[in-house]
Amino acid sequence: MQAESLSQTVESASDLAGIIEAFCNGNYHEMAANLRAIRSELHYDPYFGAHVQGQKIFQTVRRVALVDYVKAYKIISLDEIASEFGEPVDVIQRDLTALILSKKLEYRVDLHDRMVQKVEKDHKLAMLRDVAAKGDQILEQVNMNVLKAQLHL
């Protein structure tokens, strides 16, 4: 390996380490900025190039970070998320919508107020539905037993 190639590899590794460190520390603004900085470099990389050309790797990393970031809030502004990730609101909205539809986030996006809000599950309603289903099962078993008893008489 030539010295120039080795130094480029070491620089790329430190860039990637910086991205990972920023992500682990919850510094999404720095992580997103570092990703944008190396995007053009990785475009021609023999290993990452195929993944970078379609932007899929950047979208995947951003979506994982979005899930991590948004889950810390019950309600948060789309503008705040976009500012933190350094992306336009429509890109963030598209990513959040995909995450919500794929059930990776249980939130809803209010486009009028430009807010993202956690969907609270109604535990009482779920419990009542469960009790009603069990009651239906018991009633069906009782009816079957009564029918069997009538046939044997």
Side-chain angles (χ1 to χ4, degrees):
M1 186 179 269
Q2 296 177 349
E4 182 179 310
S5 177
L6 179 62
S7 74
Q8 288 175 341
T9 303
V10 170
E11 285 176 19
S12 292
S14 72
D15 290 341
L16 292 174
I19 291 168
I20 293 168
E21 184 178 348
F23 174 79
C24 290
N25 291 331
N27 189 345
Y28 302 104
H29 187 74
E30 181 182 334
M31 181 207 71
N34 289 343
L35 274 175
R36 283 190 299 279
I38 67 166
R39 185 179 292 174
S40 62
E41 295 171 25
L42 290 179
H43 187 76
Y44 298 106
D45 185 272
Y47 303 107
F48 287 107
H51 303 289
V52 173
Q53 289 174 6
Q55 303 298 321
K56 184 173 175 109
I57 193 166
F58 294 106
Q59 184 181 54
T60 302
V61 170
R62 184 176 58 244
R63 286 184 177 179
V64 169
L66 269 172
V67 168
D68 192 53
Y69 182 75
V70 171
K71 280 190 173 181
Y73 298 92
K74 284 189 175 190
I75 187 166
I76 187 170
S77 162
L78 273 172
D79 297 318
E80 184 178 336
I81 300 169
S83 173
E84 181 68 23
F85 283 85
E87 295 286 348
V89 171
D90 61 324
V91 171
I92 297 297
Q93 177 190 333
R94 182 193 67 222
D95 286 349
L96 285 172
T97 301
L99 290 166
I100 291 166
L101 290 174
S102 67
K103 307 276 190 221
K104 292 182 181 168
L105 281 175
E106 292 186 16
Y107 285 73
R108 68 178 184 85
V109 178
D110 182 346
L111 295 177
H112 178 69
D113 293 333
R114 298 172 66 96
M115 300 298 282
V116 179
Q117 185 172 5
K118 185 173 182 151
V119 174
E120 297 292 334
K121 291 185 177 180
D122 190 352
H123 296 291
K124 288 181 184 177
L125 182 59
M127 184 177 66
L128 287 173
R129 285 185 179 150
D130 187 45
V131 168
K134 287 182 183 193
D136 288 342
Q137 288 175 346
I138 292 170
L139 189 57
E140 188 175 321
Q141 287 176 343
V142 167
N143 285 336
M144 291 291 286
N145 289 338
V146 167
L147 183 60
K148 285 179 184 178
Q150 288 176 348
L151 291 174
H152 289 334
L153 290 179

